[in-house]
Amino acid sequence: MELTNTFTLTFLVTTFIFLLPTILSNTLPKSTPFKRMLALVQQEPVILKYHNGPLLKGNVTVSFHWYGHFTPTQRSIIIDFIQSLNSSSATHQHRHPPSSSAFSWWQTTATYRGGPCTLTVGDQTLDDNYSLGKSIKTTQLISLASKSKTTSNTNNIHVLLTDSDVEVEDFCMNQCGTHLPGRVEKERTVYAWVGNPVSQCPGECAWPFHQPLYGPQSPPLVAPNGDVGVDGMVISLATVLAGAVTNPFSNGYYQGVESAPLEAVSACTGIFGKGAYPGYPGNVLVDNTTGASFNAVGVNGRKFLLPAMWDPLTSTCKALV
């Protein structure tokens, strides 16, 4: 019986991974999702090929549409994360080495073709009345994300963040977040979405701050900002933003097929520190007072746990610690 169950699980997982590109290719418009639980699957060596398309470089504005009831504290965690990626925010280092700054993590994107990309926070809109209800289709993501207003759509990322009580199609099943290309008044732009997984799939999209749904059941790490859902969102947002600037229109840097690519961070899923292996995030820093795990320090004393990013200079997944 044990052998049969093992075979059945292996067959189901193998079948799902085999069919995943087909499932995702039927989603319009074409998006770039990722599922963090693939951290438990040993992946092939990472080589991201450049497909000759444009990347987002220079000054890029990130605008937010908050869908649902996000508290001021939750919003500040996300905004502090974006501001921590700005070079002007890199002077906060006191007790930690410069290599453990959120800014140094984002600097890896500068090693991709075209030079550095600086993110700044744009307009924010609040939609705590759930204008489209609490069940959102994939085709509605762009409509909601585009509600974040900006003066120009050039070099812009419109981000939609959904609260924990909002069900988004394929959330937890196939993706923790996604980015996808679009157009506004004939100008190319990029949209992105990340959901709060705390009540729907913390074992998949809030790992390693929650025990995984499958694999080794090691004790979860303590979330650096005390919010398992939002700290998990930071990891997903970091993954999506890195993919958005290095593969914004599905012809930048990626490995695999265009409909289900492995990108700058999603190709390094599950790695947060040295010694990482499937199911174990690696050796990271621990706050002596709170016991929280982190590997990056940002503005306002914020601490974050950021995933490894593929470095084109070394062709390796680069972790901060």
Side-chain angles (χ1 to χ4, degrees):
M1 178 64 70
E2 182 178 351
L3 178 61
T4 302
N5 289 341
T6 301
F7 172 78
T8 302
L9 177 60
T10 303
F11 174 78
L12 290 174
V13 172
T14 304
T15 302
F16 173 75
I17 294 175
F18 177 78
L19 292 177
L20 184 56
T22 302
I23 295 171
L24 294 176
S25 64
N26 292 328
T27 301
L28 294 175
K30 188 173 295 182
S31 61
T32 306
F34 71 96
K35 187 175 181 181
R36 295 238 304 279
M37 278 303 295
L38 291 180
L40 305 183
V41 179
Q42 186 66 51
Q43 298 181 0
E44 296 297 321
V46 178
I47 298 294
L48 301 191
K49 180 182 178 182
Y50 177 54
H51 295 79
N52 301 313
L55 311 183
L56 294 187
K57 295 294 180 177
N59 295 322
V60 176
T61 301
V62 182
S63 301
F64 289 96
H65 184 68
W66 304 86
Y67 193 82
H69 295 287
F70 288 92
T71 67
T73 298
Q74 289 177 322
R75 295 199 302 269
S76 68
I77 294 171
I78 299 292
I79 297 304
D80 282 352
F81 167 61
I82 300 299
Q83 292 178 336
S84 297
L85 305 181
N86 191 310
S87 60
S88 64
S89 304
T91 58
H92 61 272
Q93 297 297 320
H94 298 292
R95 294 174 299 171
H96 303 286
S99 61
S100 66
S101 71
F103 170 67
S104 65
W105 176 83
W106 185 251
Q107 277 298 92
T108 300
T109 63
T111 62
Y112 288 70
R113 288 176 181 262
C117 168
T118 301
L119 301 183
T120 56
V121 177
D123 292 337
Q124 301 181 56
T125 54
L126 303 180
D127 192 347
D128 52 8
N129 291 321
Y130 305 91
S131 61
L132 294 183
K134 294 187 177 182
S135 181
I136 304 299
K137 298 294 184 182
T138 302
T139 53
Q140 295 175 302
L141 293 180
I142 286 183
S143 174
L144 285 173
S146 61
K147 291 187 177 183
S148 58
K149 304 299 183 182
T150 57
T151 56
S152 172
N153 290 294
T154 304
N155 259 22
N156 230 327
I157 303 176
H158 300 261
V159 178
L160 167 66
L161 300 176
T162 52
D163 200 2
S164 58
D165 59 350
V166 179
E167 295 182 359
V168 177
E169 184 179 11
D170 286 338
F171 184 32
C172 302
M173 303 263 315
N174 294 330
Q175 56 188 353
C176 300
T178 189
H179 69 85
L180 56 163
R183 288 186 179 273
V184 177
E185 297 177 354
K186 298 183 179 181
E187 291 184 351
R188 275 184 166 185
T189 192
V190 178
Y191 297 93
W193 159 75
V194 170
N196 187 330
V198 68
S199 60
Q200 297 186 51
C201 53
E204 295 174 285
C205 296
W207 182 84
F209 305 129
H210 190 281
Q211 286 186 302
L213 186 61
Y214 306 107
Q217 297 298 298
S218 302
L221 304 183
V222 177
N225 293 287
D227 190 316
V228 169
V230 175
D231 278 308
M233 290 181 77
V234 168
I235 297 175
S236 296
L237 183 58
T239 303
V240 168
L241 289 178
V245 301
T246 59
N247 187 34
F249 307 113
S250 303
N251 54 6
Y253 283 86
Y254 64 87
Q255 180 188 58
V257 296
E258 179 184 337
S259 58
L262 294 177
E263 298 179 325
V265 173
S266 61
C268 302
T269 297
I271 302 174
F272 296 89
K274 288 182 174 63
Y277 55 82
Y280 173 63
N283 297 318
V284 297
L285 304 175
V286 177
D287 187 288
N288 292 330
T289 302
T290 65
S293 295
F294 68 100
N295 59 9
V297 182
V299 299
N300 299 322
R302 290 285 186 195
K303 294 181 174 67
F304 306 102
L305 186 66
L306 301 181
M309 189 186 307
W310 188 77
D311 185 350
L313 297 181
T314 61
S315 295
T316 59
C317 288
K318 180 180 178 182
L320 278 175
V321 296

